[in-house]
């Protein structure tokens, strides 16, 4: 469990790094888009080679299919609620909530993999770390523009990072007590939630900010994460 907490903290630390970067200076939108593209490609590789493949092996097609549907629906409903909040709130709070919503299933899967005896997934770790950065940078920048204090911004993002790191422990415990089908379903749930997030927000935002170069960054991210996955 200590190992799961350690790696969960490493992955979540990029939220704090991004928040610090956001309050210190303004960032070029194209650079943020390229980082988003890289993170999206890395997450696609992690979903394919870490979540779906492992889920099918553990629980079979039915468990993964049920998990995929559940994860997609839960994320979609929660994301719609965030979108409605965003329409009346331009202070960056919606991005903060989105980071929490994305981070919980991502980091739970880290704990699941560690409890399964395969150690930390470097591919998923890199994908989470990179994809967290632009969300935190963008939200912290918006909060600063809304005249939130630096201390409040950093404290809030630290709390989000702690909650995301705690999700790693939850994943670890679930994997310890759940049977093979439940474990496959958990992997499917995380994959479904992440796929909806990727198609609905992360990839469109990357393309909006970086144009067609976002696709090149995504391929690079996919290649790096896939290489790390196979190397492990």
């Amino acid at each position: 469990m200590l190992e799961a907490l350690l790696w969960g903290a490493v992955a979540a630390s990029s939220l704090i790094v991004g928040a610090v970067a956001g309050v210190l200076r303004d960032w070029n939108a194209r650079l943020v888009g390229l980082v988003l593209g890289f993170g999206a490609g890395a997450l696609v590789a992690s979903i394919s080679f870490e979540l779906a493949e492992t889920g099918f092996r553990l629980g079979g097609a039915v468990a993964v299919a049920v998990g995929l549907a559940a994860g997609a629906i839960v994320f979609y409903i929660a994301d719609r609620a965030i979108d409605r909040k965003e329409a009346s709130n331009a202070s960056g709070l919606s991005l903060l909530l989105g980071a929490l919503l994305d981070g919980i299933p991502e980091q739970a899967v880290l704990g699941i993999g560690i409890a399964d005896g395969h150690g930390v997934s470097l591919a998923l770790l890199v994908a989470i770390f990179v994809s967290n950065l632009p969300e935190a940078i963008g939200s912290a920048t918006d909060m600063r523009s809304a005249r939130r204090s630096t201390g409040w911004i950093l404290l809030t993002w630290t709390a989000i990072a702690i909650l995301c790191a705690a999700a790693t422990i939850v994943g670890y415990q679930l994997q310890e007590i759940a049977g093979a089908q439940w474990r496959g379903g958990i992997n499917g749930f995380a994959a479904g939630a992440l796929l909806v997030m990727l198609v609905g927000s992360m990839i469109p935002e990357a393309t909006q900010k970086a144009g067609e170069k976002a696709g090149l960054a995504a391929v690079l991210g996919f290649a790096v994460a896939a290489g790390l996955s196979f190397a492990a």
Side-chain angles (χ1 to χ4, degrees):
M1 185 182 297
L2 183 60
E3 181 184 3
L5 180 60
L6 173 63
W7 286 114
V10 170
S13 66
S14 60
L15 292 170
I16 301 175
V17 172
V20 171
V23 298
L24 289 179
R25 55 164 292 184
D26 293 323
W27 290 86
N28 180 273
R30 180 172 296 180
L31 177 60
V32 174
L34 291 174
V35 174
L36 276 170
F38 183 93
L43 281 176
V44 170
S46 297
I47 291 168
S48 302
F49 303 123
E50 303 289 337
L51 301 182
E53 181 180 2
T54 302
F56 282 121
R57 176 172 53 82
L58 289 173
V62 174
V64 174
V66 172
L68 279 167
I73 292 170
V74 168
F75 187 94
Y76 175 79
I77 293 173
D79 195 47
R80 287 291 299 273
I82 290 174
D83 286 342
R84 287 194 294 270
K85 183 178 180 64
E86 185 177 40
S88 59
N89 182 9
S91 66
L93 292 178
S94 59
L95 281 174
L96 185 147
L97 292 174
L100 179 63
L101 196 62
D102 301 342
I104 287 177
E106 290 173 347
Q107 301 226 184
V109 170
L110 279 180
I112 289 170
I114 293 170
D116 201 33
H118 295 107
V120 66
S121 165
L122 290 178
L124 187 58
L125 182 67
V126 169
I128 293 172
F129 192 95
V130 172
S131 62
N132 281 342
L133 286 172
E135 283 184 308
I137 290 172
S139 176
T141 300
D142 289 344
M143 289 177 180
R144 187 185 64 177
S145 299
R147 301 187 183 280
R148 295 279 189 178
S149 70
T150 298
W152 188 90
I153 294 171
L154 296 180
L155 183 62
T156 301
W157 275 100
T158 299
I160 294 297
I162 291 172
L163 288 173
C164 288
T168 312
I169 300 298
V170 174
Y172 184 94
Q173 294 289 353
L174 283 173
Q175 191 77 322
E176 287 281 283
I177 64 176
Q181 285 192 325
W182 276 103
R183 288 150 68 188
I186 292 168
N187 277 36
F189 183 94
L194 290 175
L195 282 170
V196 174
M197 182 273 293
L198 282 170
V199 176
S201 59
M202 193 169 182
I203 292 174
E205 185 177 354
T207 303
Q208 179 185 13
K209 293 181 181 298
E212 294 180 354
K213 291 184 176 64
L216 297 176
V219 172
L220 178 60
F222 182 92
V224 170
L228 289 172
S229 180
F230 284 115

